[in-house]
Amino acid sequence: MKTALSLLTAALLAVLHSASAENPLESELFPPDFLLNQRETLGLNESQLQDIQAIVQDVQPKFENLKGQLEDRAKAFQEALHQAKPDVALTEDKLRAMLTQENEMKLLQVHLMLTLRSKLTPEQVDKARQLRAQMPQQAAANDPREGLPERLQKKFQQLKAAVEEKAAGGAPPDGIVKQVGAIQQLVQQGKPLEAERQLDQLISELRDGKKKP
């Protein structure tokens, strides 16, 4: 009876991890906005700037296409979960398709950053590494995203416990499944702060409802 909630839990935690977890390649691969923002410090010349812009323009349509496909597959997975009695095999296939598409997007992002790095000199790569290493410490004090992955996972576990208590061993209410699915999409869309806000609101609503006679 808890199949839908269990599948949704696994899916959302997987997305939270993939979207927020520390990237071991972060110090070696440099996104285009970082390179452009640090162009003076890195000493990028006009030819390099033109190359970076051309590479980004070439990849952008491919990325948008993959993003659209990911949204479609995420919607199909969410619809499979919304069934009164989700078909386990079908729902797992929808989840697998969604994660496969997510991996394709990650591969394209890595390809983009590898191509951008190839346009830098060894000295610029070393300087970029140093700048990337300094950024987390500089941003931590004022960045609301600091510690966000851990907060999201902790709050989702609280939500899972509250939903299971409300369901009392049965299937979770469709409305709650839809709300959690919407939170999952926010994480996929790169909006973890909004996802956290909605998690807080849903947990509060469940707790308030539990207190009512």
Side-chain angles (χ1 to χ4, degrees), residues 9 15 22 43 49 69 106 120 128 139 157 174 191-192 206 211:
T9 299
V15 172
E22 183 179 355
L49 290 173
Q69 294 178 26
K106 290 178 181 177
L120 305 179
Q157 293 295 351
D174 288 343
K191 302 176 181 178
L206 286 169
K211 293 177 182 178

Side-chain angles (χ1 to χ4, degrees), residues 54-212:
I55 291 167
V56 172
Q57 289 175 0
D58 179 64
V59 169
Q60 187 65 28
K62 301 174 186 176
F63 183 81
E64 292 297 330
N65 182 52
L66 288 175
K67 181 181 178 182
Q69 294 178 26
L70 176 60
E71 290 174 352
D72 289 342
R73 294 187 180 187
K75 182 179 179 181
F77 172 61
Q78 185 176 346
E79 289 174 351
L81 284 173
H82 286 173
Q83 303 303 312
K85 293 184 178 180
D87 183 303
V88 174
L90 176 63
T91 306
E92 287 177 346
D93 285 342
K94 299 297 184 183
L95 173 59
R96 190 175 295 109
M98 183 183 74
L99 296 177
T100 298
Q101 195 68 30
E102 188 177 74
N103 285 335
E104 287 296 320
M105 289 185 66
K106 290 178 181 177
L107 285 171
L108 180 60
Q109 290 173 322
V110 170
H111 173 78
L112 166 64
M113 290 187 286
L114 283 170
T115 306
L116 293 175
R117 175 172 162 159
S118 72
K119 301 301 179 181
L120 305 179
T121 66
E123 293 76 17
Q124 288 171 332
V125 171
D126 286 340
K127 184 63 177 178
R129 285 195 189 108
Q130 295 171 17
L131 290 171
R132 293 285 279 178
Q134 295 168 3
M135 288 176 65
Q137 289 78 15
Q138 294 171 348
N142 299 316
D143 189 358
R145 293 173 180 256
E146 183 70 14
L148 184 57
E150 295 78 9
R151 293 203 311 270
L152 283 172
Q153 293 200 32
K154 181 178 179 180
K155 289 178 180 181
F156 189 76
Q157 293 295 351
Q158 293 172 352
L159 173 63
K160 179 175 180 290
V163 171
E164 288 180 343
E165 183 175 350
K166 184 177 182 64
D174 288 343
I176 293 177
V177 172
K178 290 179 181 179
Q179 285 178 276
V180 178
I183 293 171
Q184 174 191 343
Q185 288 191 336
L186 286 172
V187 176
Q188 290 175 335
Q189 294 165 3
K191 302 176 181 178
L193 292 175
E194 176 62 18
E196 182 180 34
R197 187 189 69 78
Q198 293 198 19
L199 269 173
D200 288 339
Q201 181 177 343
L202 183 53
I203 291 170
S204 177
E205 289 174 357
L206 286 169
R207 288 175 175 170
D208 289 346
K210 185 174 63 174
K211 293 177 182 178
K212 294 178 182 179

